[in-house]
Structures are given as structure tokens and as C-alpha cells.
Amino acid sequence: MSIRLRLALWYTAVLGGTLVIFSLLLYLLMLRHLIDEGDANIASRAQHIASTVRVETAAPSTVQRVELPPIDAFESPGIYVQVVQTNGTVVAHSDNLGGQELPGDERAFAVAHAGHGVFYTAIVAGEQVRVYVEPLVASGRVIGFVQVGRSHAEAYVVLDRLRLGLAGVGMVSLLLAGAIAWAVAGGALRPIASMTQTARAIALSRGFSRRLGVTTSRDELGQLSRTFNEMLASLEEAYATQQRFIADASHELRTPLTAVRANLELLDRQGADLPGSERQALITAATGEADRMARLVADLLSLARADAGQKLRMRPIELDRLLLEVYGDARLLAKGLTMAIREIDEASLLGDPDRLKQLILILVDNAIRYTPAGGEVGLSLRKDGATAVLEVSDTGIGISAQDMPHVFERFFRADRARARDAAGTGLGLAIAKWIIEEHGGDITVESELGKGSTFAVRLPLMSH
Ligand code: ADP
């Protein structure tokens, strides 16, 4: 069942329930009121008649003549008047009774005989009639009763009309309320329908540049659509980044592949005719390109894992020992450079040793690559409060201010011509940054063009 239908039904049901309770109360109050009013009416008529009867008595105890007031003056449609003697003989009755009689009631007559007015219900011509009996007293004796009856029919007519009116008004209100609820719910939910449509269209076409139009309202749906649009914007950016990454990666892979292929083709066609040294040069070049490609693929794999949210395997490690290990390996590569550890503190932290080694290697590798022969590469590790600060500095070519903000971007390479070799992939610092962030640290660079650069990595130490 749709939310719209559910809302409309709930709204109508709640209103319906309220109307039923209200109508019931009104009906009961009206019923009570009609009964009370009718009772008061017939009682007062009976008392009035009883008080205006004139009785002539011959002796103190014998009634000679009873003079009734004109009874018909008391009748009105549905009101019957009748006077009876204590033995039940009808003395007079209103015209509207015709040939009928208001039946007596023994118990009521007994009460009236004792001098009290009393109500009872009788049936006249198949109709329920409420009767009031008032004693007729002459010379201190009850000589008869005045009965005033009132048909229930009139009250029933009023109640019937009330019932009909309530039912009619109730039905119309419910229909109206249902229709209004349906329309209001439809209007309120329209943005959701449009969101669903847009989301579906985006899912089908991957058109992340599309946006929802309803962003002005300040209600919940407005908020939802704004959030949805923000999500689309970040999806669009992520998608564009991914596309760029794939394009860059393919481009980067194509260059060494083309070189390898060209060299192999040359060897294939003319290998036999070429002098040994040239043949060797071709093979060395192809191998070099293949190595570069292998590095590139390894870097891409690291980043792909990072993007897939791969978690590192953290355990307690000694960063100083890792640094020494990398130093030992890297010294062999740093041909023509002076490489030194300037300062080394003990630093234990929670980390992934392979990744941290990779991180140091990336920084040292860059320092070597971008420092001309004769330069210096310095390493240091010190503690600063609860952080370990690892610095890799060089006296190399430096980074220009305009390149500085981009060095951690994937595939960014500044001024390749000035590097010692073209072996870089442009992914090193992006991977380094990911590793550092996974360890809860950060990295900063200071550099001056032509003078050298210092990369400082801050990592949280293990708390004891
Ligand atoms: P690459 O594989 O090209 O070294 P990186 O992501 O490691 O890729 O570095 C990105 C760019 O940052 C490099 O191409 C280089 O221009 C610059 N860079 C990194 N380290 C240094 C450094 N120590 N000295 C000068 N430039 C550097």
C-alpha cells in the first residue's frame, strides 16, 4: 500500500472515529434532553389540571360533582389527557384520544393514591406513550387521577432526523477529509516521486551531473533533496576522479608498453644485423621499461586496495629499526650522494611494518631521485610529545610553490626533465599520504626551488 494511501486512510479513520464518538455523545445528550423535557411537560400539565379541578361535595365525604377544566385546552399533538376515578372509570379525556383510552397502571395508581405524582409507560394503538399520573384530591381525599400521556413518536422523529443529519454530515466530512488528505499527501510526496525518478534515471545512465530541482523548501523533503544533491555532487566527483585515474593509468601503462614493443620489434626485424652492443642496449631499455611498468602496476594495486577501504594490519613496531633497515637498502641506490642519519630516537608505535617501510622508501627514493650528484639526503627520527616525527630532507631540485599543492595528487609529476631518471610513477606520494592517514598521522613539505626539500611525517606514538 502506498504511503499516500496509508496517510489518507489514517487521516480519514482518525476523523471518522472522532465523528462517531462526537455523534454518539450528541445523540445520547439529545435523547436525555427530550425525555427530561417531555417528562417535565406532561407533569406540569397534569399538575395544572389537578389544581384547576373544582369538586363539589354534598357531605364531607361524598363527591357530588366534579367540574373539570376544558381538558382539550391541554391537549396538543401527541399529548393525551384523561381523568379517571379511583376505581379506574374514565371521567373525561381529550378529543385526540378518540375511542382509545390511556391504560392505567396499578403500581402507578397506588403511588398516586399515596399522594405522589408518578411516571409509567403504556402502549396506545401500538405506540409507546409516556404517562404521568397526578392524584386528584378533594377535601383531603384522593378521588381520582389525572393522566397525561405523551407519545414517543415525536421524540423519535426528532431523533431520527438527528441521526440522519449526523450520518449525512459525517459521510460528507469523511469524503471531503479523505479527498483533502489524498491531495495533501500527494502534494507532499511529489518531491519523493521526482527524487525516485531522478535516482532511477541516474542509476540507468550514470549521469551523476544531474540534480533534483526541489531544493528551496525548508521542510524535511527539502532537506532530503539537498542532501541527495550533495551526495550526487560527491558521487560525481568520485566518479570523475575514478575516470581520470583510469585514463591516467592506461596512459601511463601505454608509454612503457609501446617502448617495450618498439624495442622488441626492432630486435625481431634487425636483431641479427645489429652489433652486439646495440642489441644489448635495446634489451636493457626494454627491461628497464618492463621494470617501470611492474612498479607502476604494484603502485596501482596499492592505491586500488586503499580505495577499496583495505584495512592495515596494525601491530606494535619500532619505527627506528624500520628506518635503519630502509637506510641500509637505500644507501646502495644513492650513488653519488651523501646519505646520513642525523638523529634517531626510539619510537614505538602501532602500525603496519610493510606499509611504513614502503612509506619511508617512497620518501627516500624521491629524495635520491630529485637530488643531483654531490647532494645530500638526511634522515631523522625524533619524538615530539606523543608523536614521532620522521624527516627526510635533501639538497635537491626542490619543488616550486605552484607545484607544492599538487605533489600528493595521483600521477602528478613536476618538471620531469629535471629528475635524475624518468622512473617515477607519480603515485608514490599519493600512496605515502594514504599510509600516513591510515596510521592517524599527517605529512608536511617544506621546499625551496634549487635548494632542496624536507618531508616531515608525524605519526602518533603508542600510548603505554
Ligand atoms: P614520482 O614517482 O614522480 O616521484 P611522487 O608521487 O613520489 O611521484 O612525487 C610527485 C612529484 O613530487 C614528483 O614527480 C616530483 O615532481 C615531486 N617531488 C617528490 N619528492 C620530491 C623531492 N624530494 N624533491 C623534489 N621534488 C619532489
Side-chain angles (χ1 to χ4, degrees):
M1 199 194 289
S2 72
I3 292 186
R4 184 184 189 186
L5 187 59
R6 273 211 302 260
L7 278 177
L9 284 181
W10 265 108
Y11 184 65
T12 317
V14 169
L15 185 76
T18 318
L19 276 178
V20 165
I21 294 173
F22 168 78
S23 307
L24 220 66
L25 268 174
L26 188 69
Y27 186 81
L28 289 176
L29 278 175
M30 196 62 187
L31 188 69
R32 183 81 254 148
H33 171 76
L34 285 176
I35 289 173
D36 288 351
E37 191 200 48
D39 282 358
N41 187 333
I42 54 178
S44 82
R45 279 174 205 243
Q47 283 155 3
H48 194 74
I49 294 168
S51 67
T52 48
V53 166
R54 296 201 10 236
V55 181
E56 282 177 25
T57 44
S61 57
T62 45
V63 177
Q64 199 177 50
R65 214 165 69 87
V66 176
E67 197 178 306
L68 289 171
I71 277 178
D72 288 331
F74 292 94
E75 70 147 74
S76 63
I79 302 242
Y80 311 109
V81 185
Q82 179 174 282
V83 178
V84 292
Q85 288 181 350
T86 42
N87 62 5
T89 321
V90 177
V91 181
H93 63 73
S94 55
D95 285 348
N96 58 2
L97 267 172
Q100 308 268 356
E101 261 184 29
L102 272 180
D105 181 276
E106 265 179 46
R107 265 202 293 163
F109 281 175
V111 176
H113 214 276
H116 309 290
V118 65
F119 290 100
Y120 69 92
T121 305
I123 307 280
V124 179
E127 239 180 46
Q128 275 204 332
V129 177
R130 179 96 166 144
V131 185
Y132 181 79
V133 192
E134 178 73 15
L136 258 182
V137 183
S139 317
R141 263 191 328 122
V142 176
I143 56 160
F145 309 107
V146 179
Q147 293 164 281
V148 178
R150 186 174 202 263
S151 157
H152 277 170
E154 211 180 314
Y156 284 150
V157 169
V158 174
L159 288 175
D160 277 352
R161 272 198 209 132
L162 181 66
R163 254 200 320 257
L164 216 71
L166 285 175
V169 169
M171 292 299 268
V172 172
S173 321
L174 281 185
L175 280 178
L176 214 67
I180 290 173
W182 177 255
V184 169
L189 294 173
R190 197 165 305 124
I192 291 192
S194 118
M195 268 183 241
T196 312
Q197 240 173 17
T198 312
R200 188 172 299 143
I202 289 169
L204 288 178
S205 66
R206 301 207 174 165
F208 296 121
S209 55
R210 291 187 60 166
R211 294 289 179 273
L212 294 179
V214 282
T215 49
T216 45
S217 60
R218 298 173 65 85
D219 60 11
E220 294 85 341
L221 289 178
Q223 259 171 25
L224 177 61
S225 59
R226 274 193 295 280
T227 313
F228 192 78
N229 278 349
E230 279 163 23
M231 190 191 75
L232 281 177
S234 80
L235 267 180
E236 184 185 14
E237 199 194 307
Y239 191 62
T241 309
Q242 197 198 24
Q243 297 286 36
R244 218 170 27 239
F245 182 62
I246 292 173
D248 287 348
S250 330
H251 181 77
E252 291 293 325
L253 280 171
R254 210 166 50 197
T255 318
L257 261 180
T258 315
V260 169
R261 197 160 161 198
N263 287 351
L264 289 179
E265 270 175 10
L266 200 62
L267 277 173
D268 187 33
R269 269 188 283 122
Q270 306 172 2
D273 311 332
L274 286 175
S277 61
E278 267 185 52
R279 224 172 33 227
Q280 189 53 45
L282 283 175
I283 292 171
T284 311
T287 316
E289 289 298 335
D291 282 349
R292 190 169 120 70
M293 215 156 57
R295 269 199 306 277
L296 186 62
V297 170
D299 283 354
L300 283 174
L301 197 63
S302 288
L303 282 174
R305 287 205 184 112
D307 288 346
Q310 188 202 37
K311 286 282 153 240
L312 302 185
R313 274 190 292 272
M314 304 292 204
R315 58 185 170 87
I317 50 150
E318 289 159 15
L319 194 59
D320 43 313
R321 284 180 57 160
L322 273 188
L323 185 66
L324 284 174
E325 272 179 44
V326 177
Y327 172 70
D329 296 345
R331 229 163 27 142
L332 307 173
L333 297 172
K335 291 183 200 110
L337 297 178
T338 328
M339 201 168 164
I341 293 191
R342 305 239 164 82
E343 182 185 1
I344 186 157
D345 279 352
E346 278 182 9
S348 304
L349 48 82
L350 215 53
D352 182 325
D354 291 342
R355 292 303 182 186
L356 285 176
K357 206 165 160 181
Q358 186 183 9
L359 158 72
I360 304 172
L361 209 56
I362 288 168
L363 296 178
V364 173
D365 219 31
N366 278 349
I368 294 172
R369 184 176 307 143
Y370 300 109
T371 306
E376 277 177 38
V377 173
L379 303 175
S380 79
L381 173 64
R382 61 190 159 79
K383 282 198 267 194
D384 178 12
T387 18
V389 185
L390 172 80
E391 278 182 358
V392 180
S393 54
D394 62 60
T395 57
I397 57 171
I399 304 165
S400 70
Q402 93 206 45
D403 287 341
M404 198 80 102
H406 304 292
V407 291
F408 294 102
E409 284 171 14
R410 294 173 180 192
F411 293 114
F412 177 81
R413 270 180 284 172
D415 201 359
R416 232 175 288 183
R418 296 188 302 134
R420 269 151 74 98
D421 60 54
T425 59
L427 295 174
L429 288 181
I431 295 172
K433 189 160 181 259
W434 166 66
I435 295 173
I436 294 164
E437 279 167 1
E438 285 294 301
H439 283 82
D442 62 56
I443 180 167
T444 49
V445 203
E446 278 176 24
S447 184
E448 203 176 323
L449 216 50
K451 294 232 167 113
S453 324
T454 301
F455 285 79
V457 178
R458 299 171 66 84
L459 295 169
L461 285 168
M462 199 154 62
S463 49
H464 294 288

